[in-house]
Amino acid sequence: EAGVVQSPRYKIIEKKQPVAFWCNPISGHNTLYWYLQNLGQGPELLIRYENEEAVDDSQLPKDRFSAERLKGVDSTLKIQPAELGDSAVYLCASSSAGGDNEQFFGPGTRLTVL
Amino acid sequence: GEDVEQSLFLSVREGDSSVINCTYTDSSSTYLYWYKQEPGAGLQLLTYIFSNMDMKQDQRLTVLLNKKDKHLSLRIADTQTGDSAIYFCAETPGSSNTGKLIFGQGTTLQVKP
């Protein structure tokens, strides 16, 4: 079974440019998460989807960040415009319905903003 | 508030036991987790414990939970060089499982041959 797939793995852009990250969750997982991981820190939740509905986006900086999961499967996370402080690893995770909430993580996209 | 704290670094010799500690603030956490992250990789769930348990053992891993002190520990027996990684403690805050995970800042485990 394929795991959570993310692309690109690495992205280098100049500040003020837009950038997008893509995530394909594990087949059958209806819950999808985007996390931000700064260097030396644990992941922090940006947004959580149940199917195509964003049920928790309280930590998403909505002035420059947006996300979508149109058909309840793949998801994209966009930053426009990017700032120097956005340099980090962006992790996607997915889980199925169930009590233990085991979240399966993708390898992440490492973003460098110059 | 919700907060999870871990020590930043642990160094052990191969074959020794490693104990990684974590404290959390939300007494109503339902599940507590241990994740492992190797360089350039995502997080891998190692084990988890339900809040009504004191201990869980899974092969070389032993998780101890002290709810009174809000303290969680992960013991790795017979630590191997392949165990070198960053270990994250995480909790699901609140009395219901909302899916949100709060992570600590991670403990880097260095295993010397």
Side-chain angles (χ1 to χ4, degrees), chain A residues 9 33 35 37 40-45 48 56 58-59 91 98-107, chain B residues 8 30-31 33 35 37 40-45 48 88 92 97-106:
Chain A
R9 291 294 313 275
Y33 312 78
Y35 288 89
Q37 186 177 21
Q41 300 293 319
E44 299 172 32
L45 181 69
R48 175 169 70 98
D56 183 357
S58 56
Q59 303 301 312
L91 294 166
D100 64 20
N101 187 37
E102 179 175 357
Q103 296 183 24
F104 294 83
F105 283 79
Chain B
L8 295 181
T30 312
Y31 290 93
Y33 304 82
Y35 280 85
Q37 186 176 37
L43 279 72
Q44 173 196 357
L45 180 65
Y48 65 91
F88 292 94
T92 49
N97 187 3
T98 63
K100 180 177 181 178
L101 285 177
I102 304 295
F103 287 88
Q105 66 269 53

Side-chain angles (χ1 to χ4, degrees), chain B residues 57-112:
Chain B
Q57 189 154 0
D58 184 2
Q59 299 181 355
R60 292 191 298 124
L61 305 179
T62 303
V63 178
L64 294 178
L65 174 60
N66 182 328
K67 283 198 71 176
K68 174 176 172 289
D69 294 338
K70 297 178 196 166
H71 182 267
L72 183 74
S73 67
L74 174 69
R75 178 177 180 270
I76 306 173
D78 187 26
T79 312
Q80 304 297 306
T81 55
D83 294 325
S84 293
I86 303 175
Y87 291 80
F88 292 94
C89 168
E91 63 166 351
T92 49
S95 56
S96 62
N97 187 3
T98 63
K100 180 177 181 178
L101 285 177
I102 304 295
F103 287 88
Q105 66 269 53
T107 299
T108 298
L109 174 63
Q110 179 189 66
V111 183
K112 297 179 180 178

Side-chain angles (χ1 to χ4, degrees), chain A residues 13-45:
Chain A
I13 61 171
E14 293 190 345
K15 63 181 180 181
K16 299 185 182 179
Q17 294 300 306
V19 64
F21 314 123
W22 176 80
C23 173
N24 181 243
I26 291 174
S27 178
H29 282 191
N30 54 0
T31 307
L32 184 145
Y33 312 78
W34 282 104
Y35 288 89
L36 164 69
Q37 186 177 21
N38 286 304
L39 187 64
Q41 300 293 319
E44 299 172 32
L45 181 69

